[in-house]
Amino acid sequence: MVQPSKSESPAPGAPVPGRAWLMLALATVGFAVNFWAWALLSPLGPRFKENLDLTSFEQSLLVAVPVVVGSLGRIPVGALTDRFGGRVMFPIVSAATIVPVLYLGLAGHDSLAALLVGGFFLGIGGTAFAVGVPFVSAWFPPERRGLAIGVFGMGMGGTAISALTTVKLVDAGSMSTPFVITAAVLAVYAVVAALVLRDAPGRTVPTEPLTRRLAATLRLGVTWQASALYAVAFGGYVAFSVYLPTYLRTAYGLTQADAANRMAGFVLLAVAMRPVGGWLSDRVGPVRVLAGALAVVVAGALVQSPTPSLAPVGTIAFLAMAAALGAGSGATFALVALLAPANKVGSVTGVVGAAGGLGGFVPPLVMGSLYGAYGSYALGLVLLAVVAAAALVFTCTGVRHALARRTTS
């Protein structure tokens, strides 16, 4: 059952109120701040490896724990957002993330066990994505949700803030410096969010128990369709943002700084293209945008598979894939906004977001294993092309038919 609301959601074709754009801006800032906190350990991985004499596996585990927890945590947090709204959940998630951030900065960085405990709870910050999508979606009419959710998705650039500032802040101050600063920013945001955020008028509020709603979400076709597509689109983005520096250093002999700068360019282009993908989905439909994006990924992966010269062929291939993966991520949630029931957008977002986050950790493992076995990344990139081609076929058949049924019903 759905609790009746006192007013109506934005009607198709109606002008978007100014408050909706304010809520979108605040949600995007909250997403970025929480993702900044979520990504604090990754830039310090090499330093922890050296200081604590960690193995490569232990270093990978340290970086992976908050990402995996943050990805899986989106499932219950998305369902809770459906029930309590973003006005409640954004301040709670932001405030809860302060605890592990301060723990890691002040006491929890002297042993692997302490880092893993802190990293586990640091995963809370990664669940902010599942709060923002249903919150933003409810404020905008269907024909504007693709753009709105795409703009919100730019908050994933919070990981870039961490990558660009964390090590510099440690060098300028101490190990605690970036953690204390991030905790202060989280505290300010939590207070502002509690005072200013408002849920959209007419937000549909489910009354069923959490477990029943999650079970119902898993029975929806859009949950699995969007999960598969997001695992390829956002998972591909995560995989490249994690593994691209290693790839560039190994395949092309670049310095660590040069490889990191090129990875930053890849990330920024993907982030910038996410709202473009949402905007295009509002105009030509998410299926066309997804199909185009996946076709570019197929072509880019095949072109890059024989490791061509980095300038210009390799650079063009990677930048094209970055743009396509960003646009495809935006289009996926435009599809969710169209197909998911209004009172289950948060639950669907949680599952889909988890699929995307987890999808990013399979490709680096595959690429590393294949390179170790064959001394080449060619097969790994060919496999990426095959997966993207399968997603392309699925988009043009099953997803297209599902969207057609929804629009004609």
Side-chain angles (χ1 to χ4, degrees):
M1 295 178 62
V2 176
Q3 182 174 308
S5 56
K6 295 181 179 180
S7 57
E8 296 298 323
S9 299
V16 178
R19 174 173 280 192
W21 297 106
L22 173 61
M23 295 300 108
L24 171 59
L26 287 172
T28 304
V29 171
F31 182 24
V33 169
N34 278 277
F35 257 43
W36 174 11
W38 190 40
L40 280 171
L41 290 181
S42 182
L44 296 172
R47 187 165 304 208
F48 288 134
K49 180 180 182 181
E50 180 179 345
N51 292 345
L52 302 177
D53 195 26
L54 304 180
T55 65
S56 295
F57 174 77
E58 288 171 335
Q59 180 188 350
S60 300
L61 182 64
L62 173 63
V63 173
V65 164
V67 176
V68 172
V69 173
S71 298
L72 292 176
R74 294 173 187 176
I75 296 174
V77 168
L80 289 170
T81 302
D82 280 339
R83 178 66 181 86
F84 297 106
R87 181 187 182 185
V88 171
M89 293 302 296
F90 253 128
I92 287 177
V93 168
S94 301
T97 305
I98 294 172
V99 177
V101 168
L102 287 178
Y103 166 76
L104 286 166
L106 300 177
H109 55 260
D110 293 329
S111 71
L112 176 62
L115 284 167
L116 290 176
V117 171
F120 181 91
F121 290 101
L122 191 64
I124 296 170
T127 67
F129 178 74
V131 178
V133 171
F135 175 79
V136 169
S137 180
W139 270 105
F140 287 81
E143 71 273 10
R144 304 296 291 274
R145 284 177 187 159
L147 172 62
I149 295 173
V151 170
F152 169 75
M154 292 182 71
M156 68 186 188
T159 57
I161 299 174
S162 178
L164 293 171
T165 64
T166 302
V167 174
K168 293 177 182 178
L169 288 171
V170 170
D171 291 338
S174 66
M175 181 61 71
S176 65
T177 303
F179 294 90
V180 171
I181 290 174
T182 307
V185 175
L186 281 166
V188 170
Y189 178 77
V191 172
V192 172
L195 294 175
V196 181
L197 283 184
R198 295 292 183 272
D199 289 311
R203 184 180 73 87
T204 52
V205 181
T207 57
E208 299 92 340
L210 176 63
T211 54
R212 189 181 303 172
R213 282 188 285 123
L214 286 175
T217 297
L218 295 176
R219 290 195 293 269
L220 293 173
V222 64
T223 302
W224 299 106
Q225 293 161 355
S227 292
L229 295 172
Y230 203 56
V232 177
F234 187 70
Y237 158 78
V238 172
F240 276 123
S241 65
V242 169
Y243 198 73
L244 192 56
T246 300
Y247 175 92
L248 291 173
R249 292 182 67 188
T250 304
Y252 291 102
L254 300 186
T255 65
Q256 183 175 358
D258 193 7
N261 289 336
R262 291 174 186 270
M263 183 273 284
F266 181 98
V267 169
L268 291 174
L269 180 57
V271 169
M273 286 300 295
R274 186 154 180 158
V276 175
W279 176 78
L280 286 172
S281 296
D282 288 338
R283 278 145 183 79
V284 302
V287 168
R288 290 180 180 177
V289 177
L290 280 163
L294 290 167
V296 170
V297 173
V298 172
L302 291 176
V303 167
Q304 186 59 32
S305 61
T307 317
S309 60
L310 190 56
V313 178
T315 299
I316 292 172
F318 275 118
L319 290 180
M321 285 191 286
L325 291 169
S329 297
T332 301
F333 276 96
L335 183 72
V336 170
L338 288 175
L339 293 182
N343 63 322
K344 290 186 174 66
V345 172
S347 299
V348 174
T349 296
V351 176
V352 174
L358 295 176
F361 281 89
V362 176
L365 296 176
V366 173
M367 293 286 279
S369 298
L370 290 174
Y371 186 83
Y374 301 105
S376 170
Y377 289 113
L379 183 56
L381 285 159
V382 169
L383 287 174
L384 171 61
V386 170
V387 171
L392 173 59
V393 173
F394 176 61
T395 299
C396 294
T397 54
V399 176
R400 184 186 298 275
H401 293 157
L403 192 58
R405 286 195 301 270
R406 178 61 181 267
T407 55
T408 57
S409 61

